[in-house]
Amino acid sequence: MPVTQEQATWFADAFQKLVANVDKAIVGKSGVIRLVLTALVSDGHVLLEDYPGTGKTVLAKALANSLDGTTSRIQFTPDLLPSDVTGVQIYDQSKGKFQFHQGPIFASIVLADEINRASPKTQSALLEVMEEGVVTIDGEGHGVGAPFMVIATQNPVEQAGTYKLPEAQLDRFLIKTTLGYPDAKTAVALLMDSATRARASLVTPIIKPESIVAMAGLASEVFVDESVMQYLNEIVEATRKNRDVVLGVSMRGAMALARAIKTWAITQGRTYATPDDVRDLAVPVLAHRIILDPESEFAGVKAEDIVSRILLDIEPPTYRAA
């Protein structure tokens, strides 16, 4: 059923309260918080790439604390095994059979800290559960429930001893974003409050997991005109034709953006999506899915800049002449 204006207004109010709650821990970064919450409601996952000490882990913990659900943290290291993430079958002598013991991936919010430090084999253990919400052990599927979101962090520096995330895994992150350093005013305020070390503990639960599921259901019913979808598809196709790109955005990426713009629209109290929603989310949803030509990358070309240029080159449908 189409979303009513009353439902959209309720959604926008609940969403803003979540943003304000998480902002208690991550001050002055409401834009990034909105992106992360958009991914949560869109049944997506988030990759946070930034320098050490910018608050990536605090953001993930603060979001987890806002939900009255289960949370877990996995510190990825080179010796981490896939079973350390997903769980393992253990033989129960008293019952004479194997029993499955859940790993830390079975939680509403999973913080995968420094994900690129784990081996490709361990990283691949996340592929199925991130896509389907199911962990298969010995041929038996185990659902992780809903809501479910992986917030992975990695540092753009200290690449020694790390493993680059494969394209297939990057494609399963709905959004990739960065926090960056705070502005001068916010930095001084944080320094004045430096006695508060565990800032994520300032965040208390304000919403039930079932409410997030209900919000996701509402977001999926937001109206999107065909012209907006055509505009979105033109942007995606342009990434595939760009001379600096070896591999453009996949169909999975295009569908991820289509889901995300619905959520972005209703967070602003609208029952319909616009071309501006596409423009707002194109870079954080699409850029990390683009594989650059090695020579172009060496020359300093960035995927974010390519998407930004494409947005300038393609006219939104609302501005086209009749």
Side-chain angles (χ1 to χ4, degrees):
M1 291 181 63
V3 178
T4 65
Q5 186 55 56
E6 184 180 2
Q7 289 173 322
T9 302
W10 170 83
F11 188 110
D13 181 61
F15 191 87
Q16 187 52 45
K17 287 178 180 176
L18 275 171
V19 172
N21 200 49
V22 177
D23 191 65
K24 295 175 184 176
I26 302 292
V27 182
K29 296 293 180 181
S30 59
V32 177
I33 295 170
R34 289 180 65 87
L35 285 174
V36 175
L37 286 170
T38 295
L40 173 63
V41 180
S42 304
D43 297 325
H45 310 284
V46 175
L47 178 61
L48 295 174
E49 183 178 80
D50 218 326
Y51 300 110
T54 51
K56 300 184 298 295
T57 304
V58 176
L59 173 59
K61 284 185 173 181
L63 176 59
N65 289 350
S66 289
L67 304 181
D68 191 16
T70 55
T71 64
S72 65
R73 175 181 179 175
I74 310 171
Q75 185 66 50
F76 279 67
T77 56
D79 60 347
L80 192 73
L81 299 174
S83 58
D84 295 331
V85 176
T86 59
V88 65
Q89 294 272 31
I90 296 179
Y91 186 73
D92 188 334
Q93 285 187 326
S94 63
K95 297 182 179 179
K97 62 179 182 179
F98 284 92
Q99 283 197 323
F100 176 61
H101 289 248
Q102 295 181 348
I105 198 68
F106 287 84
S108 300
I109 305 292
V110 178
L111 172 59
D113 222 354
E114 295 190 287
I115 189 172
N116 55 334
R117 292 201 177 278
S119 68
K121 183 176 182 180
T122 301
Q123 290 180 16
S124 67
L126 293 172
L127 292 178
E128 180 190 25
V129 67
M130 288 176 67
E131 184 70 17
E132 303 173 18
V134 173
V135 173
T136 301
I137 304 292
D138 293 341
E140 184 179 354
H142 304 270
V144 294
F148 169 70
M149 181 168 73
V150 173
I151 301 178
T153 72
Q154 64 176 9
N155 299 330
V157 292
E158 298 182 69
Q159 294 302 311
T162 65
Y163 303 85
K164 187 177 180 180
L165 296 183
E167 288 73 26
Q169 185 162 346
L170 282 172
D171 209 19
R172 282 166 170 79
F173 285 102
L174 178 70
I175 284 173
K176 178 184 176 184
T177 188
T178 61
L179 279 164
Y181 293 113
D183 58 46
K185 184 178 179 180
T186 303
V188 171
L190 290 171
L191 291 171
M192 293 295 292
D193 191 33
S194 58
T196 305
R197 294 178 62 87
R199 297 196 63 85
S201 62
L202 301 175
V203 179
T204 54
I206 64 168
I207 195 168
K208 297 283 187 181
E210 308 88 71
S211 297
I212 295 293
V213 174
M215 291 171 75
L218 282 178
S220 66
E221 299 298 329
V222 168
F223 174 76
V224 185
D225 188 77
E226 186 177 349
S227 63
V228 176
M229 287 303 189
Q230 288 175 347
Y231 174 59
L232 186 156
N233 189 59
E234 285 179 32
I235 294 170
V236 169
E237 287 187 343
T239 67
R240 301 167 186 163
K241 298 172 183 176
N242 191 282
R243 59 186 175 85
D244 293 317
V245 173
V246 173
L247 184 66
V249 176
S250 67
M251 201 61 215
R252 181 191 285 125
M255 294 177 72
L257 182 54
R259 292 201 320 271
I261 64 171
K262 292 183 176 183
T263 302
W264 196 252
I266 197 172
T267 63
Q268 299 168 66
R270 284 186 276 109
T271 61
Y272 57 90
T274 70
D276 284 339
D277 297 322
V278 179
R279 296 171 70 86
D280 288 345
L281 294 179
V283 171
V285 175
L286 302 182
H288 65 282
R289 306 170 192 270
I290 294 174
I291 307 301
L292 295 175
D293 176 79
E295 290 186 9
S296 298
E297 189 171 14
F298 183 75
V301 175
K302 295 183 178 180
E304 292 83 357
D305 295 336
I306 289 175
V307 177
S308 296
R309 285 203 305 270
I310 289 172
L311 292 175
L312 291 174
D313 293 340
I314 300 177
E315 276 191 88
T318 49
Y319 299 120
R320 288 174 182 162

